[in-house]
């Protein structure tokens, strides 16, 4: 990432841009801002970078290729291999912050963002005030919110859940299959996390693994004849959804066996139409073989809990030793910015990347989508666009104030 010849002088900037969150999106945005001469301070509530990645399960690897997952200004090392492991992602994020000499404040949580009053009575935009832990108030010229797509575990309020006599946990608490060896385990949710945990449990010696499915997923090979699914996602992302749905159906029939006889039918909604609704395809890391061999058993969705039993949507009852809920996450932005009118009815940012809300100029969001072209790749692109927009806005504000 080269220095911008029109970059601002950081020594003349009275207020920095605050970046909330030291995950890949926040670090990328801070590095891109720094490259344009904009002072950026990353505020992270945990004690280091990549906190959410450190909490993921042990076997997790990026489903996007190393070459297409690097953040601006620093390639991922070749020794990480094609599909980068969780631990190597953390190592990369640590190196990234060090390499770009990012200003990082840890152990501080920003709880609410308010618009600041314009200074000097000259009509200039006043920037933002960040209310943070310890009674801190931070004055920001602009704010980039990068607190993450997978922020707060979402556990459905199933009837009888609180009185369940078995072991119930969210997938965020799952690390490896060792505690479940010899046990009967029900995994709820057949997204990428649920599918991968189910396979991990089988390989780790669980006695029985069932997978509760509410909506049949699209399943894709992570790579076919050396061609990664991510590259296909990049190529088709700008095409009409109906066209991509048809192409996806053809590819699925050619590369993915019909698992209907095993309780996992092909979905009725098109692949890209489902993506538009916020559900990306499951990248196969062993689920197809596990379902065909019977080691992972698809069952109906969970409806309720009754004592030690789990009641399924088809009326059947099962008694697993443990239930792992791979039921997704909430963005949890309501307390932070919900009062600003920048979120939709599902709590997601109405704008993304370099687009700043009309009623909240200087407020940017990154990392709140889950595109088929790859989240790391999109965050890297967003970072450059946000930095360009912030630098342009800063120059305009500086000129207007003279």
């Amino acid at each position: 990432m080269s220095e911008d010849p029109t970059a601002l002088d950081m020594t003349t900037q009275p207020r920095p841009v605050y970046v909330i969150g030291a995950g890949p999106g926040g670090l990328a945005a801070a590095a891109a801002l720094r490259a344009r001469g904009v002072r950026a301070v990353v505020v992270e509530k945990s004690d280091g970078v990549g906190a959410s990645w450190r909490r993921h399960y042990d076997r997790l690897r990026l489903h996007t290729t190393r070459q297409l997952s690097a953040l601006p200004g620093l390639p991922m090392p070749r020794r990480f291999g094609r599909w980068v492991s969780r631990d190597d992602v953390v190592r990369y994020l640590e190196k990234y912050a060090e390499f770009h000499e990012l200003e990082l404040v840890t152990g501080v949580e920003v709880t609410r963002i308010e618009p600041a009053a314009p200074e000097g009575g000259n009509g200039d935009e006043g920037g933002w005030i960040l209310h943070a832990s310890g009674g801190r108030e931070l004055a920001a010229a602009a704010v980039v919110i990068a607190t993450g797509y997978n922020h707060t575990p979402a556990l459905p309020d199933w009837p009888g859940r609180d009185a369940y006599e078995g072991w119930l946990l969210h997938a965020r608490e799952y690390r490896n299959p060792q505690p479940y060896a010899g046990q009967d385990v029900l995994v709820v949710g057949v997204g990428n996390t649920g599918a991968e945990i189910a396979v991990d449990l089988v390989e780790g010696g669980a006695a029985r693994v069932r997978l509760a499915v509410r909506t049949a997923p699209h399943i894709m090979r992570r790579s076919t004849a050396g061609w990664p699914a991510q590259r296909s996602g990049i190529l088709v992302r700008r095409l009409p959804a109906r066209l991509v749905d048809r192409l996806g159906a053809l590819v699925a029939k050619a590369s993915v066996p019909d698992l209907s006889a095993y309780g996992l039918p092909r979905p009725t909604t098109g692949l890209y139409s489902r993506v538009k609704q916020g559900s990306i395809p499951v990248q196969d890391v062993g689920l197809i073989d596990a379902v065909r061999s019977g080691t992972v058993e698809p069952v109906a969705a969970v409806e309720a809990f009754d004592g030690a039993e789990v009641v399924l949507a088809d009326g059947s009852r099962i008694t697993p030793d443990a239930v792992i809920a791979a039921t997704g996450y909430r963005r949890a932005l309501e307390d932070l910015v919900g009062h600003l009118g920048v979120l939709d009815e599902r709590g997601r940012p109405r704008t993304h990347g370099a687009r700043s809300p009309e009623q909240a100029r200087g407020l940017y969001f990154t990392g709140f989508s889950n595109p088929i072209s790859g989240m790391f790749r999109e965050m890297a692109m967003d970072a450059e666009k946000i930095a360009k927009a912030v630098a342009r806005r800063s120059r305009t504000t500086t000129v207007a104030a003279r």
Side-chain angles (χ1 to χ4, degrees):
M1 181 167 53
S2 60
E3 296 288 334
D4 184 350
T6 63
L8 300 167
D9 181 358
M10 280 191 284
T11 63
T12 67
Q13 298 172 37
R15 295 173 300 180
V17 174
Y18 278 97
V19 180
I20 306 175
L27 298 180
L33 286 162
R34 181 177 174 83
R36 287 184 177 270
V38 179
R39 184 185 172 205
V41 178
V42 182
V43 183
E44 168 58 46
K45 69 178 182 180
S46 71
D47 59 1
V49 304
S52 64
W53 275 90
R54 297 175 193 273
R55 291 192 296 264
H56 284 313
Y57 48 92
D58 294 349
R59 73 172 279 158
L60 179 65
R61 290 181 176 270
L62 285 177
H63 291 162
T64 55
T65 65
R66 172 180 53 82
Q67 296 93 330
L68 295 174
S69 300
L71 302 178
L74 185 67
M76 286 189 172
R78 291 179 60 88
R79 68 177 182 276
F80 286 179
R82 193 179 201 193
W83 311 108
V84 183
S85 71
R86 177 204 63 184
D87 290 346
D88 282 337
V89 169
V90 172
R91 292 187 185 97
Y92 174 73
L93 295 179
E94 291 174 338
K95 179 63 177 179
Y96 192 85
E98 176 187 350
F99 179 82
H100 287 293
E101 299 179 334
L102 301 182
E103 286 191 64
L104 181 63
V105 178
T106 60
V108 174
E109 181 179 8
V110 177
T111 55
R112 188 175 176 89
I113 299 174
E114 300 276 6
E119 296 180 355
N122 59 4
D124 293 342
E125 295 183 19
W128 299 92
I129 298 296
L130 280 61
H131 299 274
S133 54
R136 299 174 179 85
E137 289 190 357
L138 311 173
V143 181
V144 181
I145 299 176
T147 49
Y149 187 83
N150 295 334
H151 186 275
T152 300
L155 190 64
D157 189 19
W158 288 298
R161 185 192 73 183
D162 294 340
Y164 177 53
E165 297 174 6
W167 183 12
L168 172 63
L169 66 154
H170 190 272
R172 187 171 191 166
E173 302 173 64
Y174 178 87
R175 292 293 174 271
N176 59 62
Q178 185 175 350
Y180 310 93
Q183 294 197 358
D184 182 337
V185 186
L186 173 66
V187 180
V188 184
V190 67
N192 277 293
T193 297
E196 191 155 354
I197 287 176
V199 173
D200 198 32
L201 287 164
V202 168
E203 295 177 355
R208 186 175 188 179
V209 178
R210 283 174 282 204
L211 184 60
V213 180
R214 183 171 298 279
T215 304
H218 285 276
I219 302 175
M220 299 177 61
R221 301 288 188 182
R222 187 168 61 177
S223 177
T224 303
W227 178 264
Q230 181 189 7
R231 288 198 178 274
S232 297
I234 294 170
L235 291 175
V236 305
R237 193 175 180 202
R238 304 300 179 188
L239 295 178
R242 290 176 63 183
L243 175 58
V244 180
D245 286 348
R246 289 196 293 269
L247 292 173
L250 292 173
V251 171
K253 287 181 179 179
S255 61
V256 177
D258 186 357
L259 301 175
S260 299
Y262 304 94
L264 202 58
R266 294 191 189 276
T268 56
T269 307
L271 184 149
Y272 204 36
S273 294
R274 187 76 65 81
V275 169
K276 294 287 188 180
Q277 297 168 3
S279 177
I280 63 170
V282 171
Q283 299 226 3
D284 179 49
V285 290
L287 180 64
I288 293 173
D289 289 343
V291 169
R292 294 177 79 181
S293 67
T295 53
V296 170
E297 308 168 48
V299 296
V302 171
E303 286 294 304
F305 291 85
D306 184 8
E309 295 182 324
V310 181
V311 183
L312 303 181
D314 60 4
S316 61
R317 292 169 175 255
I318 59 176
T319 312
D321 299 306
V323 178
I324 301 173
T327 46
Y329 294 80
R330 296 187 297 106
R331 313 294 88 81
L333 293 169
E334 289 80 4
D335 290 343
L336 188 66
V337 295
H339 56 288
L340 300 175
V342 297
L343 306 178
D344 66 16
E345 63 281 356
R346 296 173 61 184
R348 302 173 303 181
R350 295 184 185 275
T351 60
H352 206 266
R355 290 179 57 218
S356 191
E358 186 69 32
Q359 73 276 30
R361 293 299 186 190
L363 189 65
Y364 304 90
F365 296 89
T366 184
F368 293 97
S369 64
N370 197 9
I372 57 175
S373 50
M375 186 179 287
F376 271 57
R377 178 179 180 272
E378 294 299 320
M379 287 189 292
M381 295 168 64
D382 277 349
E384 301 282 15
K385 293 173 183 176
I386 290 171
K388 183 177 180 180
V390 170
R392 185 190 306 116
R393 180 173 177 272
S394 299
R395 286 193 294 270
T396 301
T397 301
T398 301
V399 170
R402 290 174 181 170

